[in-house]
Amino acid sequence: MATIPMRTNTLGIIAEFNPFHSGHSFLFQKAKEISGADEIVCVMSGNFIQRGGPAVFDKWERAKNAVENGADLVLELPTVFASASAGYFAKGGVEVLEGLGAVDALCFGSESGDIDKLTQAAKTMKMVEENRGGEIRTLLKEGMSYPRARQEIFQEAFHDGDIAKEPNNILALEYLMISQLPAFAVKRDGEGHLESAAKVRAKLFAEDPERFLRMESRYFDMVRTAIIRSDAEELEKIASAGEGLGNKLKKDIRYADSLSALVKRSRSKRYTETRISRLLAQLVLGVDGEVLRRAKPYLKPLAFNEKGAAIIRDVKNKELNTIPFVDSYGKTFEKGDKDLSLTLEKDILATDLYNIITGRDLYQEADQVRKPERVGL
């Protein structure tokens, strides 16, 4: 029987909501039932997602949908973290939740749902990373991808190594390896999970294929332009690149007539399709290794209701936050924190590019102009 942490008032959830669906509503419901929480604060990817490429709907619409269906406050996960690998994605999300200073516990959905087993698996995974790096590097030299190499060593060290094969379990382990918050897990199967983001996206595509094909075409043009404009050395510096992938992309782009064709041509034993897709998004956004290493979290509300507004007021009045709020871009830049400004600039760029991809107004829909969605206020 999994251990239930102490009852809590405010839960933190890290998500993409791409798009929001009934499975997310189920997560909110079960999370409150398990924890006894009254409030939910979410940290959500912006206009570009972790698997690479633009989101189905813009970040304000997705955040508003979350608040309309159970969340109280949605904060943006900075683009630099949102477009990176699972470890950085989790790091950014946890840092935002902990930096708010008002979240009592972390909650996530996972295929396992067993918080005790996940906690033990996270400890083992951390041990593998810290003490068995040489074995991982040996597998990398044999052409294996880092996630696969880490999984191979983990399976030898943990009695249920398959727990780290499912995508949501993998994210859960990443959260648990870095978070200082008590944690709750909701099992992702059965009633309430008949709907998935992939199925919803497929349904949306069937309803309006022209919109999605147009988005993909515009995005692919951005990808092609970025690859052709960059030399191989520059491509090698992109956060998810390395091992000669820059040269391969320079070659493959001449023969690919679509985004999916380029991803398929460029994949290999080491570079999965997901990693290639993520790399291409980082390329378009200009997220290289240095930008990722320097990235800093901050608090940027996308949507909130009355409870969410009260959380923000309470945090500010009591100075609970340990990372800054971004209430004004100008004032934030004036503070002179170069790393914070660099991270924030990628959010602004991501929204500008998203607006071009979706054919939206570059002024009215810009980050500097749009305000958080106030639900029921």
Side-chain angles (χ1 to χ4, degrees):
M1 180 71 177
T3 301
I4 301 298
M6 60 185 291
R7 294 174 71 80
T8 183
N9 186 58
T10 305
L11 277 180
I13 292 175
I14 304 166
E16 292 198 306
F17 303 141
N18 186 44
F20 192 91
H21 57 74
S22 63
H24 298 125
S25 296
F26 176 81
L27 173 62
F28 290 170
Q29 174 194 335
K30 295 300 292 184
K32 284 188 172 182
E33 287 179 9
I34 294 171
S35 66
D38 298 318
E39 302 165 342
I40 291 179
V41 174
C42 295
V43 178
M44 186 195 78
S45 302
N47 286 324
F48 279 72
I49 59 170
Q50 202 254 341
R51 286 181 174 270
V56 172
F57 300 117
D58 75 57
K59 59 189 179 184
W60 293 283
E61 181 174 352
R62 287 161 33 239
K64 181 182 178 183
N65 287 340
V67 174
E68 289 173 337
N69 288 279
D72 298 297
L73 169 63
V74 179
L75 302 166
E76 182 168 2
L77 175 62
T79 298
V80 174
F81 296 113
S83 61
S85 61
Y88 281 105
F89 181 94
K91 178 179 183 291
V94 168
E95 286 182 347
V96 172
L97 286 178
E98 293 182 347
L100 180 65
V103 173
D104 301 307
L106 173 66
C107 185
F108 45 77
S110 77
E111 291 81 5
S112 167
D114 187 330
I115 190 61
D116 284 347
K117 183 181 288 186
L118 288 166
T119 300
Q120 289 302 314
K123 291 178 180 178
T124 302
M125 185 69 82
K126 192 169 186 178
M127 179 276 294
V128 166
E129 290 187 344
E130 292 175 350
N131 301 326
R132 301 184 68 175
E135 296 169 73
I136 293 175
R137 287 191 291 275
T138 297
L139 294 177
L140 292 177
K141 290 177 181 178
E142 295 174 1
M144 194 175 290
S145 67
Y146 180 82
R148 176 70 185 278
R150 188 178 70 162
Q151 169 68 17
E152 288 283 320
I153 305 302
F154 172 78
Q155 283 185 287
E156 294 177 8
F158 194 67
H159 62 89
D160 184 10
D162 287 346
I163 197 171
K165 287 185 175 180
E166 299 290 345
N168 292 286
N169 283 347
I170 292 171
L171 269 177
L173 298 186
E174 298 288 355
Y175 297 145
L176 292 169
M177 281 193 285
I178 59 175
S179 176
Q180 300 301 308
L181 295 168
F184 298 84
V186 174
K187 189 172 177 60
R188 285 179 57 93
D189 66 2
E191 185 179 357
H193 287 284
L194 299 177
E195 194 173 43
S196 70
K199 288 182 179 179
V200 175
R201 288 194 295 269
K203 182 180 178 181
L204 290 170
F205 180 89
E207 292 173 352
D208 189 3
E210 290 187 8
R211 173 180 179 267
F212 289 94
L213 291 173
R214 186 166 56 247
M215 285 178 62
E216 180 173 331
S217 176
R218 288 172 176 168
Y219 177 55
F220 182 52
D221 282 344
M222 289 182 180
V223 169
R224 289 197 291 184
T225 301
I227 293 174
I228 292 171
R229 183 190 60 213
S230 307
D231 59 35
E233 184 177 350
E234 289 174 314
L235 293 174
E236 286 293 305
K237 293 179 181 178
I238 297 302
S240 295
E243 306 297 329
L245 189 58
N247 280 320
K248 184 167 176 53
L249 284 172
K250 294 290 286 185
K251 177 181 177 181
D252 289 345
I253 196 61
R254 301 287 177 180
Y255 303 96
D257 59 1
S258 69
L259 187 66
S260 59
L262 176 61
V263 171
K264 284 182 171 57
R265 286 188 65 91
S266 302
R267 68 184 177 185
S268 65
K269 184 179 179 181
R270 171 167 289 188
Y271 292 100
T272 63
E273 291 192 15
T274 298
R275 183 172 176 181
I276 295 293
S277 297
R278 186 182 305 127
L279 184 157
L280 296 177
Q282 291 172 329
L283 172 61
V284 168
L285 293 164
V287 178
D288 59 21
E290 182 181 3
V291 170
L292 187 54
R293 286 188 295 273
R294 291 173 55 188
K296 277 192 171 181
Y298 37 79
L299 303 168
K300 189 164 59 168
L302 293 176
F304 52 81
N305 57 18
E306 187 174 352
K307 284 185 178 181
I311 292 172
I312 294 173
R313 285 196 301 271
D314 194 49
V315 168
K316 290 183 175 181
N317 290 337
K318 296 179 180 178
E319 298 183 345
L320 300 175
N321 54 302
T322 56
I323 59 176
F325 274 93
V326 176
D327 296 318
S328 164
Y329 286 89
K331 290 180 180 179
T332 300
F333 290 136
E334 285 175 5
K335 291 178 180 178
D337 187 324
K338 293 182 179 180
D339 291 346
L340 183 70
S341 295
L342 180 63
T343 311
L344 188 59
E345 286 167 1
K346 296 305 178 184
D347 285 353
I348 295 172
L349 174 62
T351 297
D352 285 342
L353 296 181
Y354 187 85
N355 289 335
I356 293 172
I357 291 167
T358 55
R360 294 146 64 90
D361 190 281
L362 278 173
Y363 175 75
Q364 295 293 340
E365 303 297 334
D367 266 19
Q368 303 94 319
V369 176
R370 284 292 300 262
K371 304 296 182 184
E373 294 287 341
R374 303 164 66 90
V375 179
L377 296 173

